[in-house]
Structures are given as structure tokens and as C-alpha cells.
Amino acid sequence: MSEDKKKKLQATGLVDWPVFSEIIAMDEDEEEFSKSLIQTFYTQVEETFQKFSNLINEKNLEELSKAGHFLKGSAAALGLGTIATQCERIQNYGHKINFDNFEYPATATTTTTTSSPHSIHTSSSENNTNNNNTTTTPDESSDDFWIALIKDALEKAQDGYTKSKKALTDYYS
Amino acid sequence: MSTDDRKPKRKTPQPGPMNTITTTSSSNQSGSNDFVKKLFLMLEEDSYKDIVRWTHTGDSFVVLNTNEFTKEILPRHFKHSNFASFVRQLNKYDFHKVKISNEERATYPYGDDTWEFKHPDFRQNDRESLDNIKRKGPTSKKATPGASSASATTSQVINGVDAAALARCNHNYTQMLTSQNQLKDQMESLRQENKQLQQEINILTRKYKTLVENIVAINTVDERSHRSMGILVNCLIQAGIKIPPLDFPPPQSLQGEVNNSEFGSSLPSLSSHLLNHNTSPQQALPPGAAPPNALPQHPQQSILPPHLANPPPPPPPHLQPAIQLPQPPTNGNQPPYIAATPTAQAIPSPGAIPQMQGPAMVPQPQAVPQPPQQQVPPISAATAPNATATTANPVAVATSISRLASSQEGSKSHSQTTSTSASPLVPGAGGLPLAVPGPTEVSATTTTVPNAKFHVLLVEDDNVCIQLCRKFLVKYGCQVTVVTDGLNAISTVEHTKYDLVLMDIVMPNLDGATATSVIRSFDTKTPIIAMTGNIEDNDLVTYLQNGMSDILAKPFTKDDLYSILAKHLLTDKSEGAAVSTGLSESALKGAIKSEDDQIVKKPRLI
């Protein structure tokens, strides 16, 4: 891989470079190792996203948490932090732990460009101001509250995945 | 008039009773704190100064000799001789005992067993302030304002009010007592309930563990029978016996029916061959036996005699843990065979059947003069009836020997002999053409590395992590076997000696922590590293309690992994070196290793 492409991928900020560079270093003695690994990951992500959607419909928090944990592991192993972060949120919300003190989104969140913790907070504060005027928000005692948070995390994870996939496709092209 | 007259009349006799009330019960009207006054008078008495007196400062008094005070002075001034009630009275008037700390005690002029009391308005030569000293407590409020007009009626009223209040208090008190008792009872019953639940949980945990162990054991047995069956079928084919097309059933339904129906007819002829082997193996070697099987006969011939001559050695103590696990189902599975072969001696023909089921399980009466013990069979199978074993099921023998030998690492020479005799068999096993899938084949995959330094078992359910971690491990120079759940991890570790196990925690079927605790019941040495994203303190403690050797936090870098590997693989090596007693041991270890590699890979073919 050319240095240019590496730099370009690095510049996207979507991959944790120390982790990812270690993986592509493995290509030295097995061609396309990292690429096949990424392919495996794509499959896994798409399967898990489907699973998330089904489980959200079933409102099965426990299984959502498990699936979140599962995908978090592989995403983190590849250094795809944006996806891992959202999966971790799903894992925690599934256990009804609002570990990042996320505010309930009043409207369906228009997915923000990045899903770093910073952006979560800006978007949530906007939502909060809307909230005061609109309908009452479900509180933490209802499963719907957590499902809503998980939906938010899933949207951000999907967004992160689309972007990461694009960046990686560019890199491997 | 009459009423007017009566009133003063009534009044006049009153002072008497009233006085008695005030003096005896030291009643609480503001002016009549007689107790305090009496106390003051008592202190004026110079003759008491060795027993009770003012302190130097004059703002407190001290009882120097409580015995004398109680015996001599209290009766004289307070009409009783009870020091405790004297102190109680003092407290009622808001006197306080002056506490003397240990340091002060050293310079305290009045000695050790003294009681010093103090009230801000109770001072030497200050009679006026005495009136400020009031009795504490609710009853003082009930005091009628004018002491002079106090009469029996009023004091009775006071008493009445007191009595009512007292009754109310009593009532409240009893109510409180009852509710307190109720609470106590509730707490007690909750406590008991909790205890019971705890016990039930413990029982359930125990049962769960036993179940898991049994499942693993049953899997092992199934797998072995299945494998042995495959080998037998193969042998029959090689011996030129035609076998109808087999619908090889899954391991669970394999036993019994296959034996009796499909194999029933062809077995006797085969086993008569096998029996001949026991006496003169070379002559009776079945012509159809596969060449690879025939080859190992020679090394075996030279080694076997000493074993036949000697009674089988008593099982080494550490053999037991290795076999312990599969035992319960072994017993359960044996009956069908035993039914078919009442005694191996009496009916020679079905002699091969027990072999087939797995030499580790079936006692061989001919070879074992001792009463059959659970631990003896593997040895007898590996030694005495070897001719049978080698032809009938080389792999099964190899498996059992490897199990035996690996559990006997560091023991005496006989285990070396068995393993050397067994290892040449393995290529033969690999060469067998029969392809019957083993039960664990699906779940375990091994990546071989030429000149692998270590053999690592990776227990992980996430494909990405598997690929990545395996890559890192291979690069480190490890041969890697991958299984994807806790149950398979247990049975795999049971079969094969690994240098290290990397164990994920959250997995289907059985989590890594439980799997580890089960593995620890028969293997305490192999380092097991927990790989987990949950690295909260509680979890870590749990993992270590379950027998994990170390923890590798996910996600980890190559260096994280390598430093863990370096730490545990090195210590493992040095320990191994310390344990092994001679050259033969390392040779043995090598033999076992190569064998195990084969077993993990090859049985998949059978």
C-alpha cells in the first residue's frame, strides 16, 4: 500500500492508527490478510446490524446488549473506534446503564457527521431544548427510553460504518 | 361561710403531707430542690472532708471514698444507702460527672476511685445560685406555679396527670415494643429466607457444574466411540469384508444398534484373528491389515514383553484427575457392551468390541490380574492386549496412550515405553482412508506452523478476533487451535496438552469463566488467560477466582499479547524443566507433542 493511501486513511480519523497499522503490517507475510479480515468484519457488521434492528423491534434489551458487546469487540480489534463506541453504548443501554448521561432524543436524530462524544453532547443539548416544548419523554424506568437510546446509537454506528467502509475501500482500491 | 371556713381548715393540715412529699420524693417545685440543698449542707460539714468535699476551685465536689459515703453519709442525709440512686438524683438535677482523662489522672489530687460532680450553679459559698438548679425532665413542667397554695388536691392532680402521662407512655412503649418485635421477626424470617436462597443457589451452582462436566464427559466418550467405530469399519474394509453402505449415525445413537446389527455378523471372524494375536501376533497378523498398521508391530514386540511379565504398574496418582472426568458416562455407556460380552474370557469372539469402544474404559480380564479398577484399564489396554489394539484401532490406542502419557508426564519409564510404542502408530492412523467426521471436528481448527515452539488454544467466538489473534500467535511461533465455545474448550483441553489457553469470556454455550473453573478441576497447570473487554475490578476478581492465570484486556495490541505470551510461556517452560527428571522426559514430551498435534488434526479425517 502506498504511503499516500495510508496518510489519507489516517486523515479520516476513522481508524485507530496504532491498532490498524499493526494489522496491515501482517500483510507482509500473508498477502491481503488485512483485507480478508476487513471483509470478515463487514459480514459481521451487516449481520449484527440486522440483528440489532430485529431486537429493537422485539425490545429485547438483554440480547441487544450482548450483540453490542460482540460487535464492540471486533470493531475495537480493528481499531474502528467510531463503531466500537456506539456498540459500547448499545451494550450499556441494553443493561439500562446510561453511562454517558445521554439525553433522550426528542425527535428522530438526524445523524450527525461524526459520532465522537463531543458531538453526542452538542446534539443532545439541542434535543433537550426541543424536548421542553414537545411531548413528555419516557423516563429511565421504561424500556422505550432505552430502546430510543439504542436506536440513536445504532444510527450513529451505521453512519460510522458507512464512512469507515468507504475510507477502507478507498484504501484498498 | 361554711365553705369559706372550710377552706382554711383544709389548708392548715396540708403542710404536713405536702412536706413529706417534698422531702421524701424531693419534689420538683422551683423553690424546693431539697436534694440540692441537702447536698450543699452535706458539703458544709467539715467532718466529711476525707469522704466527700468541695474541690479546690469550689465549683465541683468530689466523693473520695464511695464506700464510706454510701455507708455513712447517704443514710444520714438522704435516708438511703444506694450510691447509684444518689448519682441518678444528681443527674436528674443536671449535675455531671467530671471526666478525668488518663493524662490528667496522673496529676489528679483526689486519687483513683473518686467521683467528681459538677453543676454550673452549684458552687461553694454560693447559696443563692442553688435556686437555679432545677430538676430536669417533663415532670418539672407539671409543677404548680404557687408552692404556697399547693395542696393535697393539686398534688393529687399532679400525680393524676403524671399517672395519665405515664399510662400513655407505657402504652406507647408497649406499642413500640410490639412493633419492634414484629420487625425483629420479619428480619429474622427474611434472614432465614436469604439463607435458604443462598443454599439453593449453592446447590444449583454445584449441580450446574456437575452437569457441565458430565456433558463434556459424554461428548468425549461419544467422540471416542464414534472414532473407534470408524476405525473398526475401516479395518473391516481393509480385511476384505464387505460392509453394507452405512448410514453412520451421530455419536449419540451410535452405540448399541450399530454394534449389534451391522457389525454383528462380521465381528466374530475378526476378533478370532485378534485373539490369536495375543499369543503369536506375527503369524496371525491379518493379511488384510493395512501396511501402516503392520509396521508398528515391531517396535511393539520388543517393548511389550516386560509389561506382560510384570503385573501392570499401579496407576500413578496424577493419572486420576485426567480420567476422572469421563468416568460417570463411561459407566453409563458400558452396559450394552457388557451385555453383549458377559466375560471377555468366556466368549472370546466379541473381545474386540470393548476395544472398539475405547481401550481406556474396558477392563481386560486376561491381562489384568488385579480386580479391574477404573484407573487400570488404560494401562492394560496400552500394554497387554496390544496386538489387538494395534490392529483394531490404532488411533484409539494412541489417543488413550496420549491421554495416559500426557497425564503421566514426569513419571517413570513405563510411560515412556508406551508412548514410544504408540507414536509410530499415528501415521498409520492418519493413513486410514475412512472419512467419518468426528463430533468435535466442526468446532476445532488447528493452524500448524513448522517448528512451532508452542501450542496455544484460542477460545473465541468472534471471527475477526480469531483471525487477528491467530495471526499474531502464528507470527509469534505458535501452533494455534481454535474452538468457539466453552464446552469445546473443556473437551479439547482434556484431550490435548496446550502450552497456553487464551479464553474469551462472553461466548455461546458456556462462558469462559465457567469453562476455566471446570478445566481447573483436572488441569491446574496450563496457563489460562482471560481475554475480555469487561475489565472492572469485580470481574477481574471473579476471573482469577475461577482459576484464570492472567487477564488480557480487549482490544489488545500485538505487543500486549506478546508480553502475556512471553510471561506465561517462559515460566511454563522453566517449570516443566524443573519438573522433568531426566532426558527421557523431554523425549517423551516431544513424542507426546507430535502425537497430540496429529490427534488434533488427524482425527478430523477419521
Side-chain angles (χ1 to χ4, degrees):
Chain A
M1 288 301 155
S2 72
E3 285 301 311
D4 277 355
K5 280 188 171 171
K6 279 185 185 173
K7 284 209 178 95
K8 197 180 157 201
L9 182 58
Q10 238 174 314
T12 61
L14 290 166
V15 295
D16 181 1
W17 196 251
V19 177
F20 192 74
S21 60
E22 226 169 53
I23 297 169
I24 53 177
M26 293 290 141
D27 290 344
E28 281 165 20
D29 44 29
E30 186 188 330
E31 237 178 284
E32 304 224 311
F33 166 76
S34 65
K35 198 176 174 182
S36 79
L37 191 62
I38 297 284
Q39 288 298 341
T40 311
F41 178 68
Y42 290 164
T43 321
Q44 205 178 75
V45 171
E46 275 149 31
E47 281 169 8
T48 314
F49 279 174
Q50 187 55 48
K51 199 173 172 187
F52 278 141
S53 306
N54 296 342
L55 290 170
I56 284 176
N57 290 336
E58 295 168 19
K59 300 191 179 178
N60 189 339
L61 289 176
E62 183 58 37
E63 286 300 316
L64 277 167
S65 178
K66 279 186 192 165
H69 171 83
F70 177 77
L71 194 59
K72 178 187 81 174
S74 8
L78 296 178
L80 298 171
T82 50
I83 302 170
T85 309
Q86 299 308 323
C87 289
E88 187 174 8
R89 289 180 63 206
I90 295 174
Q91 184 193 349
N92 279 292
Y93 297 158
H95 283 150
K96 304 194 177 184
I97 303 165
N98 195 349
F99 74 119
D100 54 358
N101 290 318
F102 189 76
E103 306 270 352
Y104 180 76
T107 52
T109 334
T110 46
T111 36
T112 43
T113 43
T114 58
S115 35
S116 67
H118 177 72
S119 78
I120 289 169
H121 284 295
T122 43
S123 69
S124 65
S125 59
E126 285 162 16
N127 289 331
N128 202 25
T129 48
N130 292 342
N131 260 354
N132 296 336
N133 310 331
T134 55
T135 53
T136 50
T137 55
D139 64 1
E140 301 202 353
S141 61
S142 86
D143 284 1
D144 290 339
F145 173 81
W146 300 107
I147 291 288
L149 291 193
I150 289 172
K151 272 184 185 163
D152 176 81
L154 178 57
E155 275 169 32
K156 285 172 183 159
Q158 278 163 336
D159 181 63
Y161 172 60
T162 317
K163 289 192 166 66
S164 305
K165 191 174 178 181
K166 185 173 181 311
L168 288 167
T169 314
D170 285 351
Y171 173 74
Y172 284 110
S173 63
Chain B
M1 257 323 254
S2 58
T3 46
D4 280 344
D5 279 338
R6 238 189 282 166
K7 258 191 184 168
K9 260 187 195 169
R10 248 187 160 184
K11 238 180 186 177
T12 30
Q14 287 323 61
M18 199 203 82
N19 280 340
T20 46
I21 289 167
T22 45
T23 44
T24 50
S25 67
S26 31
S27 173
N28 33 33
Q29 288 140 23
S30 56
S32 61
N33 48 0
D34 289 27
F35 171 75
V36 183
K37 282 172 186 151
K38 277 192 271 180
L39 185 65
F40 193 82
L41 281 174
M42 179 191 79
L43 288 165
E44 301 291 296
E45 196 76 52
D46 198 45
S47 57
Y48 298 153
K49 70 173 190 289
D50 290 333
I51 302 170
V52 58
R53 60 190 251 203
W54 290 102
T55 54
H56 300 300
T57 46
D59 59 2
S60 61
F61 73 95
V62 60
V63 180
L64 298 163
N65 185 334
T66 44
N67 277 343
E68 285 297 300
F69 181 76
T70 310
K71 255 194 282 178
E72 302 297 327
I73 300 172
L74 278 183
R76 221 173 290 170
H77 290 265
F78 299 98
K79 299 195 178 76
H80 66 77
S81 58
N82 186 338
F83 189 65
S85 28
F86 173 71
V87 174
R88 215 158 29 237
Q89 283 283 38
L90 283 173
N91 285 333
K92 274 184 185 153
Y93 284 90
D94 216 11
F95 280 76
H96 288 284
K97 187 169 189 277
V98 179
K99 289 205 175 69
I100 313 290
S101 71
N102 281 338
E103 296 91 69
E104 286 168 318
R105 186 61 80 179
T107 54
Y108 191 63
Y110 307 108
D112 277 90
D113 286 309
T114 55
W115 296 61
E116 188 178 339
F117 296 97
K118 194 172 182 169
H119 188 286
D121 287 315
F122 193 73
R123 289 183 295 269
Q124 195 171 16
N125 307 323
D126 191 351
R127 210 178 264 271
E128 278 73 29
S129 305
L130 287 185
D131 286 338
N132 297 331
I133 301 175
K134 302 242 166 58
R135 202 182 148 97
K136 295 192 291 184
T139 44
S140 65
K141 283 178 196 153
K142 304 258 161 48
T144 41
S148 56
S149 67
S151 64
T153 24
T154 48
S155 75
Q156 266 159 17
V157 166
I158 293 166
N159 284 344
V161 171
D162 277 356
L166 199 70
R168 240 194 340 271
C169 280
N170 266 337
H171 182 64
N172 287 346
Y173 179 68
T174 33
Q175 270 185 337
M176 254 156 62
L177 268 186
T178 9
S179 56
Q180 195 200 5
N181 282 338
Q182 278 172 350
L183 283 175
K184 262 186 193 162
D185 288 349
Q186 272 178 6
M187 208 163 80
E188 193 51 42
S189 67
L190 281 176
R191 202 173 279 156
Q192 279 183 349
E193 226 169 89
N194 197 8
K195 210 172 151 190
Q196 277 174 354
L197 285 175
Q198 202 70 44
Q199 282 172 343
E200 272 170 43
I201 289 174
N202 283 342
I203 292 168
L204 282 176
T205 316
R206 258 205 314 279
K207 282 183 180 169
Y208 173 65
K209 261 197 161 174
T210 325
L211 269 179
V212 166
E213 284 178 13
N214 283 348
I215 290 171
V216 169
I218 289 168
N219 277 349
T220 315
V221 171
D222 278 358
E223 190 191 336
R224 275 208 302 252
S225 347
H226 195 251
R227 205 185 296 151
S228 309
M229 197 68 70
I231 292 154
L232 190 71
V233 168
N234 190 41
C235 268
L236 291 174
I237 294 169
Q238 283 178 338
I241 296 162
K242 235 187 156 189
I243 294 176
L246 294 177
D247 172 25
F248 223 102
Q252 286 86 341
S253 54
L254 185 94
Q255 307 147 2
E257 63 174 53
V258 176
N259 257 329
N260 301 334
S261 55
E262 276 119 328
F263 289 85
S265 55
S266 54
L267 273 176
S269 63
L270 178 67
S271 39
S272 62
H273 276 301
L274 299 173
L275 260 172
N276 288 340
H277 268 290
N278 277 338
T279 45
S280 54
Q282 258 160 336
Q283 291 167 345
L285 198 72
N293 284 343
L295 275 174
Q297 294 293 341
H298 294 285
Q300 212 137 29
Q301 292 294 308
S302 55
I303 293 155
L304 279 174
H307 283 283
L308 289 168
N310 301 335
H318 51 288
L319 176 60
Q320 203 155 358
I323 305 181
Q324 188 184 27
L325 215 77
Q327 245 158 21
T330 299
N331 296 334
N333 284 344
Q334 236 162 317
Y337 297 104
I338 288 173
T341 60
T343 49
Q345 270 175 323
I347 305 168
S349 51
I353 297 175
Q355 281 299 332
M356 188 180 62
Q357 201 228 354
M361 298 158 209
V362 185
Q364 294 284 319
Q366 307 101 310
V368 191
Q370 297 161 353
Q373 289 165 11
Q374 293 293 354
Q375 292 90 349
V376 174
I379 295 168
S380 69
T383 54
N386 249 346
T388 328
T390 43
T391 35
N393 50 356
V395 172
V397 173
T399 320
S400 76
I401 289 173
S402 86
R403 287 169 51 79
L404 171 68
S406 60
S407 65
Q408 276 179 332
E409 265 178 12
S411 71
K412 300 286 152 20
S413 59
H414 68 268
S415 67
Q416 194 205 348
T417 2
T418 47
S419 73
T420 43
S421 70
S423 46
L425 297 177
V426 179
L432 292 174
L434 188 73
V436 177
T440 56
E441 181 186 4
V442 197
S443 51
T445 48
T446 303
T447 310
T448 355
V449 173
N451 307 320
K453 284 183 281 184
F454 311 105
H455 194 178
V456 174
L457 178 67
L458 176 60
V459 189
E460 167 71 80
D461 64 323
D462 175 356
N463 253 332
V464 172
C465 292
I466 291 172
Q467 286 186 23
L468 190 59
C469 194
R470 182 171 54 202
K471 188 76 194 167
F472 288 155
L473 287 169
V474 166
K475 208 164 166 68
Y476 191 80
C478 300
Q479 179 178 327
V480 187
T481 302
V482 180
V483 293
T484 54
D485 69 52
L487 278 182
N488 279 312
I490 297 171
S491 55
T492 313
V493 170
E494 212 197 345
H495 280 285
T496 312
K497 169 100 180 83
Y498 290 94
D499 296 302
L500 188 121
V501 178
L502 286 170
M503 182 82 77
D504 189 21
I505 299 297
V506 185
M507 285 182 296
N509 289 346
L510 189 69
D511 68 283
T514 314
T516 303
S517 67
V518 174
I519 290 174
R520 283 300 181 227
S521 68
F522 61 90
D523 177 349
T524 52
K525 276 190 178 167
T526 309
I528 303 179
I529 315 294
M531 297 188 297
T532 175
N534 303 333
I535 42 165
E536 283 148 36
D537 287 346
N538 273 347
D539 297 330
L540 298 194
V541 172
T542 316
Y543 300 154
L544 296 177
Q545 276 170 353
N546 277 311
M548 298 282 191
S549 319
D550 212 331
I551 286 145
L552 179 58
K554 270 185 180 177
F556 48 83
T557 63
K558 194 175 71 175
D559 292 339
D560 294 338
L561 177 63
Y562 285 7
S563 66
I564 285 270
L565 291 178
K567 187 172 157 195
H568 289 278
L569 288 174
L570 275 178
T571 48
D572 188 43
K573 280 280 139 141
S574 57
E575 264 175 28
V579 169
S580 68
T581 46
L583 270 177
S584 62
E585 301 307 326
S586 55
L588 166 69
K589 216 171 177 179
I592 292 160
K593 187 131 281 165
S594 68
E595 204 178 285
D596 282 354
D597 294 353
Q598 297 289 352
I599 284 164
V600 173
K601 284 172 304 193
K602 302 291 181 181
R604 315 295 162 221
L605 297 172
I606 300 161

